[in-house]
Amino acid sequence: LPSALQFSTGIGVGLVGFGLFFLLFGILLYFDSVLLAFGNLLFLSGLVFIIGFRRTFTFFFQRPKLKGTSFFLGGLVVVLMRWPILGMLLE
């Protein structure tokens, strides 16, 4: 079981790394909406692989963090709707 946990964490770190790379590359290419959306989705899925679904959910949906979570997820949705500058500002 510890090797499976290490494997999952390794995948998560890779996904977070690729997510950050795509976010940076999307910003460098004048807010390319596809790269930004892909980077956001990779980052969130990597976070789930690293700390688990339940802990990720409880991290984002704590009562004091609900305003920040709504802006982050709203920005993600706006980026997915192909308005990247407004979505990144919301995030």
Side-chain angles (χ1 to χ4, degrees):
L1 188 65
S3 64
L5 186 62
Q6 284 179 333
F7 184 69
S8 174
T9 304
I11 289 175
V13 169
L15 287 173
V16 166
F18 276 118
L20 291 175
F21 170 75
F22 279 109
L23 283 172
L24 178 67
F25 202 55
I27 290 171
L28 288 176
L29 289 176
Y30 302 111
F31 292 97
D32 183 40
S33 60
V34 174
L35 290 174
L36 291 174
F38 196 57
N40 279 326
L41 293 176
L42 283 175
F43 182 79
L44 284 177
S45 62
L47 194 63
V48 169
F49 269 93
I50 291 173
I51 65 173
F53 182 77
R54 180 173 292 175
R55 287 176 64 187
T56 303
F57 186 82
T58 57
F59 173 77
F60 278 108
F61 292 102
Q62 295 174 7
R63 185 174 284 299
K65 295 181 182 180
L66 280 179
K67 187 187 290 186
T69 299
S70 63
F71 273 102
F72 178 73
L73 295 177
L76 180 81
V77 168
V78 171
V79 167
L80 288 172
M81 291 180 358
R82 301 223 181 223
W83 291 346
I85 296 174
L86 180 63
M88 290 304 286
L89 285 174
L90 278 175
E91 286 182 19

Coordinates of all heavy atoms in Angstrom, one line a residue:
L1 N 0.8 -1.2 0.0 CA 0.0 0.0 0.0 C 0.8 1.3 0.0 O 0.5 2.2 -0.7 CB -1.0 0.0 1.2 CG -2.0 1.1 1.2 CD1 -2.9 0.9 0.0 CD2 -2.8 1.1 2.5
P2 N 2.0 1.3 0.7 CA 2.7 2.6 0.7 C 3.3 2.9 -0.7 O 3.4 4.0 -1.1 CB 3.9 2.4 1.7 CG 3.4 1.3 2.6 CD 2.4 0.5 1.8
S3 N 3.6 1.8 -1.5 CA 4.1 2.1 -2.8 C 3.0 2.6 -3.7 O 3.3 3.5 -4.6 CB 4.7 0.8 -3.5 OG 3.8 -0.2 -3.6
A4 N 1.8 2.2 -3.5 CA 0.7 2.7 -4.3 C 0.4 4.2 -3.9 O 0.1 5.0 -4.8 CB -0.6 1.9 -4.1
L5 N 0.6 4.5 -2.7 CA 0.4 5.9 -2.2 C 1.5 6.8 -2.8 O 1.2 7.9 -3.2 CB 0.4 5.9 -0.7 CG 0.1 7.3 -0.1 CD1 -1.3 7.7 -0.4 CD2 0.3 7.2 1.4
Q6 N 2.7 6.3 -2.8 CA 3.8 7.0 -3.4 C 3.6 7.2 -4.9 O 3.9 8.3 -5.5 CB 5.1 6.3 -3.2 CG 5.7 6.5 -1.8 CD 7.0 5.7 -1.7 OE1 7.3 4.8 -2.4 NE2 7.8 6.2 -0.7
F7 N 3.1 6.2 -5.6 CA 2.8 6.3 -7.0 C 1.7 7.3 -7.3 O 1.8 8.2 -8.2 CB 2.3 4.9 -7.6 CG 2.1 4.9 -9.0 CD1 3.2 5.0 -9.9 CD2 0.8 4.7 -9.6 CE1 3.0 5.0 -11.3 CE2 0.6 4.7 -10.9 CZ 1.7 4.8 -11.8
S8 N 0.6 7.3 -6.5 CA -0.4 8.3 -6.6 C 0.1 9.7 -6.4 O -0.3 10.7 -7.1 CB -1.6 8.0 -5.7 OG -2.6 9.0 -5.7
T9 N 0.9 9.9 -5.4 CA 1.5 11.2 -5.1 C 2.4 11.7 -6.2 O 2.4 12.8 -6.6 CB 2.2 11.2 -3.7 OG1 1.3 10.7 -2.7 CG2 2.8 12.5 -3.4
G10 N 3.1 10.7 -6.8 CA 4.0 11.1 -7.9 C 3.2 11.5 -9.1 O 3.6 12.5 -9.8
I11 N 2.1 10.9 -9.4 CA 1.2 11.3 -10.5 C 0.7 12.7 -10.2 O 0.6 13.5 -11.0 CB 0.1 10.3 -10.7 CG1 0.7 9.0 -11.3 CG2 -1.0 10.8 -11.6 CD1 -0.3 7.9 -11.4
G12 N 0.3 12.9 -8.9 CA -0.3 14.2 -8.5 C 0.7 15.3 -8.7 O 0.4 16.4 -9.2
V13 N 1.9 15.1 -8.3 CA 3.0 16.1 -8.4 C 3.2 16.4 -9.9 O 3.4 17.5 -10.3 CB 4.3 15.7 -7.7 CG1 5.4 16.6 -8.1 CG2 4.1 15.7 -6.2
G14 N 3.2 15.4 -10.7 CA 3.4 15.6 -12.2 C 2.3 16.4 -12.8 O 2.5 17.3 -13.6
L15 N 1.0 16.0 -12.4 CA -0.1 16.8 -12.9 C -0.1 18.2 -12.4 O -0.4 19.1 -13.2 CB -1.4 16.1 -12.4 CG -1.8 14.8 -13.1 CD1 -3.0 14.2 -12.4 CD2 -2.0 15.0 -14.5
V16 N 0.3 18.5 -11.2 CA 0.4 19.9 -10.7 C 1.4 20.6 -11.5 O 1.3 21.8 -11.9 CB 0.6 19.9 -9.2 CG1 1.0 21.3 -8.7 CG2 -0.7 19.5 -8.4
G17 N 2.6 19.9 -11.7 CA 3.7 20.6 -12.4 C 3.3 20.9 -13.9 O 3.5 22.0 -14.3
F18 N 2.6 20.0 -14.5 CA 2.1 20.3 -15.9 C 1.1 21.3 -15.9 O 1.0 22.2 -16.8 CB 1.6 19.0 -16.6 CG 2.7 18.2 -17.2 CD1 2.9 16.9 -16.8 CD2 3.4 18.7 -18.2 CE1 3.9 16.1 -17.3 CE2 4.4 17.9 -18.8 CZ 4.7 16.6 -18.4
G19 N 0.2 21.3 -14.9 CA -0.8 22.4 -14.7 C -0.2 23.7 -14.6 O -0.6 24.7 -15.3
L20 N 0.8 23.9 -13.8 CA 1.5 25.2 -13.6 C 2.2 25.6 -14.9 O 2.2 26.7 -15.3 CB 2.4 25.1 -12.4 CG 1.8 25.0 -11.1 CD1 2.8 24.9 -10.0 CD2 0.9 26.2 -10.8
F21 N 2.8 24.6 -15.6 CA 3.4 24.9 -16.9 C 2.4 25.4 -17.9 O 2.7 26.4 -18.6 CB 4.1 23.6 -17.4 CG 4.6 23.8 -18.8 CD1 5.8 24.5 -19.1 CD2 4.0 23.2 -19.9 CE1 6.3 24.7 -20.4 CE2 4.4 23.3 -21.2 CZ 5.6 24.1 -21.4
F22 N 1.3 24.7 -18.0 CA 0.3 25.2 -19.0 C -0.3 26.5 -18.6 O -0.6 27.3 -19.5 CB -0.8 24.1 -19.2 CG -0.4 23.0 -20.1 CD1 -0.2 21.7 -19.6 CD2 -0.3 23.2 -21.4 CE1 0.1 20.7 -20.4 CE2 0.0 22.2 -22.3 CZ 0.3 20.9 -21.8
L23 N -0.5 26.8 -17.3 CA -0.9 28.1 -16.9 C 0.1 29.2 -17.3 O -0.3 30.2 -17.8 CB -1.2 28.1 -15.4 CG -2.5 27.5 -14.9 CD1 -2.5 27.4 -13.4 CD2 -3.7 28.2 -15.4
L24 N 1.3 29.0 -17.0 CA 2.4 29.9 -17.3 C 2.5 30.1 -18.8 O 2.5 31.2 -19.3 CB 3.7 29.5 -16.8 CG 4.9 30.4 -17.1 CD1 4.7 31.7 -16.4 CD2 6.2 29.7 -16.6
F25 N 2.4 29.0 -19.6 CA 2.5 29.1 -21.0 C 1.3 29.8 -21.6 O 1.4 30.5 -22.6 CB 2.7 27.6 -21.6 CG 3.3 27.6 -23.0 CD1 4.5 28.2 -23.2 CD2 2.6 26.9 -24.0 CE1 5.1 28.1 -24.5 CE2 3.2 26.9 -25.2 CZ 4.4 27.5 -25.5
G26 N 0.1 29.5 -21.0 CA -1.1 30.2 -21.5 C -1.0 31.7 -21.3 O -1.5 32.5 -22.1
I27 N -0.5 32.1 -20.2 CA -0.3 33.5 -19.9 C 0.7 34.2 -20.9 O 0.5 35.2 -21.4 CB 0.1 33.8 -18.4 CG1 -1.1 33.4 -17.5 CG2 0.5 35.2 -18.2 CD1 -0.8 33.4 -16.1
L28 N 1.8 33.4 -21.1 CA 2.8 34.0 -22.0 C 2.4 34.1 -23.4 O 2.8 34.9 -24.2 CB 4.1 33.1 -21.9 CG 4.9 33.2 -20.7 CD1 6.1 32.1 -20.7 CD2 5.5 34.6 -20.5
L29 N 1.4 33.2 -23.8 CA 0.9 33.3 -25.2 C -0.4 34.2 -25.2 O -1.4 33.9 -25.9 CB 0.6 31.9 -25.7 CG 1.8 31.1 -26.0 CD1 1.4 29.7 -26.5 CD2 2.6 31.7 -27.1
Y30 N -0.3 35.3 -24.5 CA -1.4 36.3 -24.5 C -2.8 35.7 -24.1 O -3.8 35.8 -24.8 CB -1.5 37.0 -25.8 CG -0.2 37.7 -26.2 CD1 0.5 37.2 -27.2 CD2 0.2 38.8 -25.5 CE1 1.7 37.8 -27.6 CE2 1.4 39.4 -25.8 CZ 2.1 38.9 -26.9 OH 3.3 39.5 -27.2
F31 N -2.8 35.0 -23.0 CA -4.0 34.4 -22.4 C -4.8 33.5 -23.4 O -5.9 33.7 -23.7 CB -4.9 35.6 -21.9 CG -4.4 36.3 -20.7 CD1 -3.7 37.5 -20.9 CD2 -4.5 35.8 -19.5 CE1 -3.1 38.1 -19.8 CE2 -4.0 36.4 -18.4 CZ -3.3 37.6 -18.5
D32 N -4.1 32.5 -23.8 CA -4.7 31.5 -24.6 C -5.7 30.7 -23.8 O -5.3 30.0 -22.8 CB -3.6 30.6 -25.2 CG -4.2 29.5 -26.2 OD1 -5.1 29.9 -26.9 OD2 -3.8 28.4 -26.1
S33 N -6.9 30.7 -24.1 CA -7.9 30.1 -23.2 C -7.8 28.6 -23.1 O -8.1 28.1 -22.0 CB -9.3 30.5 -23.7 OG -9.6 30.0 -25.0
V34 N -7.4 27.9 -24.2 CA -7.3 26.5 -24.1 C -6.2 26.1 -23.2 O -6.4 25.2 -22.3 CB -7.1 25.9 -25.5 CG1 -6.9 24.4 -25.5 CG2 -8.3 26.2 -26.4
L35 N -5.1 26.7 -23.3 CA -4.0 26.4 -22.4 C -4.3 26.7 -20.9 O -4.0 25.9 -20.0 CB -2.7 27.1 -22.8 CG -2.1 26.6 -24.1 CD1 -0.9 27.5 -24.5 CD2 -1.6 25.2 -24.0
L36 N -5.0 27.8 -20.7 CA -5.3 28.2 -19.3 C -6.3 27.2 -18.7 O -6.2 26.8 -17.6 CB -5.9 29.6 -19.3 CG -4.9 30.7 -19.6 CD1 -5.6 32.1 -19.7 CD2 -3.8 30.8 -18.5
A37 N -7.3 26.8 -19.5 CA -8.3 25.9 -19.0 C -7.7 24.5 -18.8 O -7.9 23.9 -17.7 CB -9.4 25.7 -20.1
F38 N -6.8 24.1 -19.7 CA -6.1 22.8 -19.5 C -5.2 22.8 -18.2 O -5.2 21.9 -17.4 CB -5.3 22.4 -20.7 CG -4.9 21.0 -20.8 CD1 -5.8 20.0 -20.8 CD2 -3.6 20.7 -20.9 CE1 -5.4 18.7 -20.8 CE2 -3.2 19.4 -21.0 CZ -4.1 18.4 -21.0
G39 N -4.5 23.9 -18.0 CA -3.7 24.1 -16.9 C -4.5 24.1 -15.6 O -4.1 23.5 -14.6
N40 N -5.6 24.8 -15.6 CA -6.5 24.8 -14.4 C -7.0 23.4 -14.0 O -7.0 22.9 -12.9 CB -7.7 25.7 -14.6 CG -7.3 27.1 -14.3 OD1 -6.5 27.4 -13.5 ND2 -8.0 28.0 -15.0
L41 N -7.4 22.6 -15.1 CA -8.0 21.3 -14.8 C -6.9 20.3 -14.4 O -7.1 19.5 -13.5 CB -8.6 20.8 -16.1 CG -9.9 21.5 -16.5 CD1 -10.4 21.0 -17.8 CD2 -10.9 21.4 -15.4
L42 N -5.7 20.4 -15.0 CA -4.5 19.6 -14.5 C -4.1 19.9 -13.1 O -3.8 19.0 -12.3 CB -3.3 19.8 -15.5 CG -3.4 19.1 -16.8 CD1 -2.2 19.4 -17.6 CD2 -3.5 17.6 -16.6
F43 N -4.1 21.2 -12.7 CA -3.7 21.6 -11.4 C -4.7 21.0 -10.4 O -4.3 20.4 -9.3 CB -3.7 23.1 -11.3 CG -3.2 23.6 -9.9 CD1 -1.9 23.6 -9.6 CD2 -4.2 24.1 -9.0 CE1 -1.5 24.0 -8.3 CE2 -3.8 24.5 -7.8 CZ -2.4 24.4 -7.4
L44 N -6.0 21.2 -10.6 CA -7.0 20.6 -9.7 C -7.0 19.1 -9.6 O -7.1 18.6 -8.5 CB -8.4 21.1 -10.1 CG -8.7 22.6 -9.7 CD1 -10.1 22.9 -10.2 CD2 -8.6 22.8 -8.3
S45 N -6.8 18.4 -10.7 CA -6.8 17.0 -10.7 C -5.5 16.5 -10.0 O -5.5 15.5 -9.2 CB -6.8 16.4 -12.1 OG -5.8 16.8 -12.9
G46 N -4.4 17.2 -10.1 CA -3.2 16.9 -9.4 C -3.3 17.1 -7.9 O -2.8 16.3 -7.1
L47 N -4.0 18.1 -7.5 CA -4.3 18.3 -6.1 C -5.1 17.2 -5.5 O -4.8 16.7 -4.4 CB -5.0 19.7 -5.9 CG -5.1 20.2 -4.5 CD1 -3.7 20.6 -4.0 CD2 -5.9 21.5 -4.5
V48 N -6.1 16.7 -6.3 CA -6.9 15.6 -5.8 C -6.0 14.3 -5.7 O -6.1 13.6 -4.7 CB -8.0 15.3 -6.8 CG1 -8.7 14.0 -6.5 CG2 -9.0 16.4 -6.7
F49 N -5.1 14.1 -6.6 CA -4.2 12.9 -6.5 C -3.2 13.0 -5.3 O -2.9 12.1 -4.7 CB -3.4 12.8 -7.8 CG -4.0 11.9 -8.8 CD1 -4.8 12.4 -9.8 CD2 -3.8 10.5 -8.7 CE1 -5.4 11.6 -10.7 CE2 -4.4 9.7 -9.7 CZ -5.2 10.2 -10.7
I50 N -2.8 14.3 -5.0 CA -1.8 14.4 -3.9 C -2.5 14.3 -2.5 O -2.0 13.5 -1.7 CB -1.1 15.8 -4.0 CG1 -0.2 15.8 -5.2 CG2 -0.3 16.1 -2.7 CD1 0.4 17.1 -5.5
I51 N -3.6 15.0 -2.3 CA -4.2 15.0 -0.9 C -5.5 14.3 -0.8 O -6.0 14.1 0.3 CB -4.3 16.5 -0.4 CG1 -5.3 17.3 -1.2 CG2 -3.0 17.2 -0.3 CD1 -5.6 18.6 -0.6
G52 N -6.0 13.8 -1.9 CA -7.3 13.0 -1.9 C -8.5 13.9 -2.1 O -8.5 15.1 -2.0
F53 N -9.5 13.2 -2.6 CA -10.7 14.0 -3.0 C -11.4 14.6 -1.8 O -11.8 15.8 -1.8 CB -11.7 13.0 -3.7 CG -13.0 13.7 -4.2 CD1 -12.9 14.5 -5.3 CD2 -14.1 13.6 -3.5 CE1 -14.1 15.1 -5.7 CE2 -15.3 14.2 -3.9 CZ -15.2 15.0 -5.0
R54 N -11.6 13.9 -0.7 CA -12.3 14.4 0.5 C -11.5 15.6 1.1 O -12.2 16.6 1.4 CB -12.4 13.3 1.5 CG -13.2 13.8 2.8 CD -13.5 12.7 3.7 NE -14.5 11.8 3.0 CZ -15.0 10.7 3.5 NH1 -14.5 10.3 4.7 NH2 -15.9 10.0 2.9
R55 N -10.2 15.5 1.2 CA -9.5 16.6 1.8 C -9.5 17.8 0.8 O -9.5 19.0 1.3 CB -8.1 16.2 2.1 CG -8.0 15.3 3.4 CD -6.7 14.8 3.7 NE -5.8 15.8 4.0 CZ -4.5 15.6 4.2 NH1 -4.0 14.4 4.1 NH2 -3.7 16.7 4.6
T56 N -9.4 17.6 -0.5 CA -9.5 18.7 -1.4 C -10.9 19.4 -1.3 O -11.0 20.6 -1.3 CB -9.3 18.2 -2.9 OG1 -8.0 17.5 -2.9 CG2 -9.3 19.3 -3.9
F57 N -11.9 18.6 -1.2 CA -13.3 19.1 -1.1 C -13.4 19.9 0.2 O -13.9 21.1 0.1 CB -14.3 18.0 -1.2 CG -15.7 18.5 -1.2 CD1 -16.3 18.9 -2.4 CD2 -16.5 18.5 -0.1 CE1 -17.6 19.4 -2.5 CE2 -17.8 19.0 -0.1 CZ -18.3 19.4 -1.3
T58 N -12.9 19.4 1.3 CA -13.1 20.1 2.5 C -12.2 21.4 2.6 O -12.5 22.3 3.2 CB -12.8 19.2 3.8 OG1 -11.5 18.7 3.6 CG2 -13.8 18.1 3.9
F59 N -11.0 21.3 1.9 CA -10.2 22.5 1.8 C -10.9 23.7 1.1 O -10.9 24.8 1.5 CB -8.9 22.2 1.1 CG -8.0 23.4 0.8 CD1 -7.3 24.0 1.8 CD2 -8.0 24.0 -0.4 CE1 -6.5 25.1 1.6 CE2 -7.2 25.1 -0.7 CZ -6.5 25.6 0.3
F60 N -11.5 23.4 0.0 CA -12.2 24.4 -0.8 C -13.5 24.9 -0.3 O -13.9 26.0 -0.4 CB -12.4 24.0 -2.3 CG -11.1 24.1 -3.1 CD1 -10.4 23.0 -3.5 CD2 -10.7 25.3 -3.5 CE1 -9.3 23.1 -4.3 CE2 -9.5 25.5 -4.3 CZ -8.8 24.3 -4.7
F61 N -14.2 24.0 0.4 CA -15.6 24.4 0.8 C -15.7 24.6 2.4 O -16.7 24.3 2.9 CB -16.6 23.3 0.3 CG -16.7 23.3 -1.2 CD1 -16.1 22.4 -1.9 CD2 -17.4 24.4 -1.8 CE1 -16.2 22.5 -3.3 CE2 -17.5 24.4 -3.1 CZ -16.9 23.4 -3.9
Q62 N -14.7 25.1 3.0 CA -14.8 25.6 4.4 C -15.5 26.9 4.4 O -15.4 27.7 3.4 CB -13.4 25.7 5.0 CG -12.6 24.5 5.1 CD -11.2 24.7 5.6 OE1 -10.8 25.9 5.9 NE2 -10.4 23.7 5.6
R63 N -16.3 27.1 5.5 CA -17.1 28.3 5.5 C -16.3 29.6 5.3 O -16.7 30.5 4.6 CB -17.9 28.4 6.8 CG -18.8 29.6 6.8 CD -19.8 29.6 8.0 NE -20.9 28.8 8.0 CZ -21.9 28.7 7.1 NH1 -21.9 29.4 6.0 NH2 -23.0 27.9 7.3
P64 N -15.1 29.8 6.0 CA -14.4 31.1 5.8 C -13.8 31.2 4.4 O -13.5 32.3 3.9 CB -13.3 31.0 6.8 CG -13.5 29.9 7.7 CD -14.5 29.0 7.0
K65 N -13.7 30.1 3.6 CA -13.1 30.2 2.3 C -14.1 30.1 1.2 O -13.7 30.0 0.0 CB -12.1 29.0 2.1 CG -10.9 29.0 3.1 CD -10.0 27.8 2.8 CE -8.9 27.9 3.8 NZ -8.0 26.7 3.6
L66 N -15.4 30.2 1.5 CA -16.4 30.1 0.4 C -16.3 31.2 -0.6 O -16.5 31.0 -1.8 CB -17.8 30.0 1.0 CG -18.1 28.6 1.6 CD1 -19.5 28.6 2.2 CD2 -18.0 27.5 0.5
K67 N -16.0 32.4 -0.2 CA -15.9 33.5 -1.1 C -14.8 33.3 -2.1 O -14.9 33.5 -3.3 CB -15.8 34.8 -0.4 CG -15.9 36.0 -1.3 CD -15.5 37.3 -0.6 CE -16.6 37.7 0.4 NZ -16.3 39.1 1.0
G68 N -13.6 32.9 -1.6 CA -12.5 32.7 -2.4 C -12.7 31.5 -3.3 O -12.3 31.5 -4.5
T69 N -13.3 30.4 -2.8 CA -13.6 29.3 -3.6 C -14.6 29.6 -4.8 O -14.4 29.2 -5.9 CB -14.2 28.2 -2.8 OG1 -13.2 27.8 -1.8 CG2 -14.6 26.9 -3.6
S70 N -15.6 30.5 -4.5 CA -16.5 30.8 -5.5 C -15.8 31.7 -6.6 O -16.1 31.5 -7.8 CB -17.7 31.6 -4.9 OG -17.3 32.8 -4.3
F71 N -14.9 32.6 -6.2 CA -14.2 33.3 -7.2 C -13.3 32.4 -8.0 O -13.2 32.5 -9.3 CB -13.4 34.4 -6.6 CG -14.1 35.7 -6.4 CD1 -14.6 36.0 -5.1 CD2 -14.4 36.6 -7.4 CE1 -15.3 37.2 -4.9 CE2 -15.1 37.7 -7.2 CZ -15.6 38.0 -6.0
F72 N -12.6 31.5 -7.4 CA -11.7 30.6 -8.1 C -12.5 29.7 -9.1 O -12.1 29.6 -10.3 CB -10.9 29.7 -7.1 CG -10.0 28.7 -7.8 CD1 -8.9 29.2 -8.5 CD2 -10.3 27.4 -7.8 CE1 -8.0 28.3 -9.1 CE2 -9.5 26.5 -8.5 CZ -8.3 26.9 -9.1
L73 N -13.5 29.0 -8.6 CA -14.3 28.2 -9.5 C -15.1 28.9 -10.5 O -15.2 28.5 -11.7 CB -15.2 27.3 -8.7 CG -14.5 26.3 -7.7 CD1 -15.6 25.5 -6.9 CD2 -13.7 25.3 -8.5
G74 N -15.5 30.1 -10.2 CA -16.2 31.0 -11.2 C -15.2 31.4 -12.3 O -15.5 31.5 -13.4
G75 N -14.0 31.8 -11.9 CA -12.9 32.1 -12.8 C -12.6 30.9 -13.7 O -12.4 31.1 -14.9
L76 N -12.6 29.7 -13.2 CA -12.4 28.5 -14.0 C -13.5 28.3 -15.0 O -13.2 28.1 -16.2 CB -12.3 27.3 -13.1 CG -12.0 26.0 -13.7 CD1 -10.6 25.8 -14.0 CD2 -12.5 24.8 -12.9
V77 N -14.7 28.5 -14.6 CA -15.8 28.4 -15.5 C -15.8 29.5 -16.6 O -16.0 29.2 -17.8 CB -17.2 28.5 -14.8 CG1 -18.3 28.6 -15.7 CG2 -17.3 27.2 -13.9
V78 N -15.4 30.7 -16.2 CA -15.3 31.8 -17.2 C -14.2 31.5 -18.2 O -14.3 31.7 -19.4 CB -15.1 33.2 -16.5 CG1 -14.8 34.2 -17.5 CG2 -16.4 33.5 -15.7
V79 N -13.0 31.0 -17.7 CA -12.0 30.6 -18.7 C -12.4 29.5 -19.6 O -12.1 29.5 -20.8 CB -10.7 30.1 -17.9 CG1 -9.7 29.5 -18.8 CG2 -10.0 31.3 -17.2
L80 N -13.2 28.5 -19.1 CA -13.7 27.5 -19.9 C -14.7 28.0 -21.0 O -14.9 27.4 -22.0 CB -14.4 26.4 -19.1 CG -13.4 25.5 -18.3 CD1 -14.2 24.6 -17.3 CD2 -12.5 24.7 -19.2
M81 N -15.4 29.1 -20.7 CA -16.3 29.7 -21.6 C -15.6 30.6 -22.6 O -16.2 31.4 -23.3 CB -17.4 30.5 -20.9 CG -18.3 29.6 -20.1 SD -19.6 30.5 -19.2 CE -19.4 32.2 -19.4
R82 N -14.2 30.6 -22.6 CA -13.4 31.3 -23.5 C -13.3 32.8 -23.3 O -13.2 33.5 -24.3 CB -13.7 30.9 -25.0 CG -13.6 29.5 -25.3 CD -13.0 29.3 -26.6 NE -13.0 27.9 -26.9 CZ -11.9 27.3 -27.4 NH1 -10.9 28.0 -27.7 NH2 -11.9 26.0 -27.6
W83 N -13.4 33.2 -22.1 CA -13.1 34.6 -21.7 C -11.9 34.6 -20.8 O -12.1 34.7 -19.6 CB -14.3 35.3 -21.1 CG -15.4 35.5 -22.0 CD1 -15.4 35.5 -23.4 CD2 -16.7 35.9 -21.6 NE1 -16.6 35.7 -23.9 CE2 -17.5 36.0 -22.8 CE3 -17.4 36.1 -20.4 CZ2 -18.8 36.3 -22.8 CZ3 -18.7 36.4 -20.4 CH2 -19.4 36.5 -21.6
P84 N -10.7 34.4 -21.3 CA -9.6 34.1 -20.4 C -9.1 35.2 -19.5 O -8.7 35.0 -18.4 CB -8.5 33.7 -21.4 CG -8.8 34.3 -22.7 CD -10.3 34.3 -22.7
I85 N -9.1 36.4 -20.0 CA -8.6 37.5 -19.2 C -9.5 37.8 -18.0 O -9.1 37.9 -16.9 CB -8.4 38.8 -20.1 CG1 -7.4 38.6 -21.1 CG2 -8.1 40.0 -19.2 CD1 -7.2 39.7 -22.1
L86 N -10.8 37.8 -18.2 CA -11.8 38.0 -17.2 C -11.7 36.8 -16.2 O -11.8 37.0 -15.0 CB -13.2 38.1 -17.7 CG -14.3 38.3 -16.7 CD1 -14.1 39.6 -16.0 CD2 -15.6 38.3 -17.4
G87 N -11.6 35.6 -16.7 CA -11.5 34.4 -15.8 C -10.3 34.4 -15.0 O -10.3 34.1 -13.8
M88 N -9.1 34.8 -15.5 CA -7.9 34.9 -14.7 C -8.0 36.0 -13.7 O -7.4 35.9 -12.6 CB -6.7 35.1 -15.6 CG -6.3 33.8 -16.4 SD -6.1 32.4 -15.5 CE -4.5 32.7 -14.8
L89 N -8.6 37.1 -14.0 CA -8.8 38.2 -13.0 C -9.7 37.7 -11.9 O -9.5 38.0 -10.7 CB -9.4 39.4 -13.7 CG -8.5 40.2 -14.5 CD1 -9.3 41.3 -15.2 CD2 -7.4 40.8 -13.7
L90 N -10.7 36.9 -12.2 CA -11.6 36.3 -11.1 C -10.8 35.4 -10.3 O -11.0 35.3 -9.1 CB -12.8 35.6 -11.7 CG -14.0 36.5 -12.1 CD1 -15.0 35.7 -12.8 CD2 -14.6 37.2 -11.0
E91 N -10.0 34.6 -10.9 CA -9.2 33.6 -10.1 C -8.2 34.3 -9.2 O -7.9 33.9 -8.1 CB -8.5 32.6 -11.0 CG -9.4 31.6 -11.7 CD -8.6 30.7 -12.5 OE1 -7.4 30.5 -12.4 OE2 -9.2 30.0 -13.4

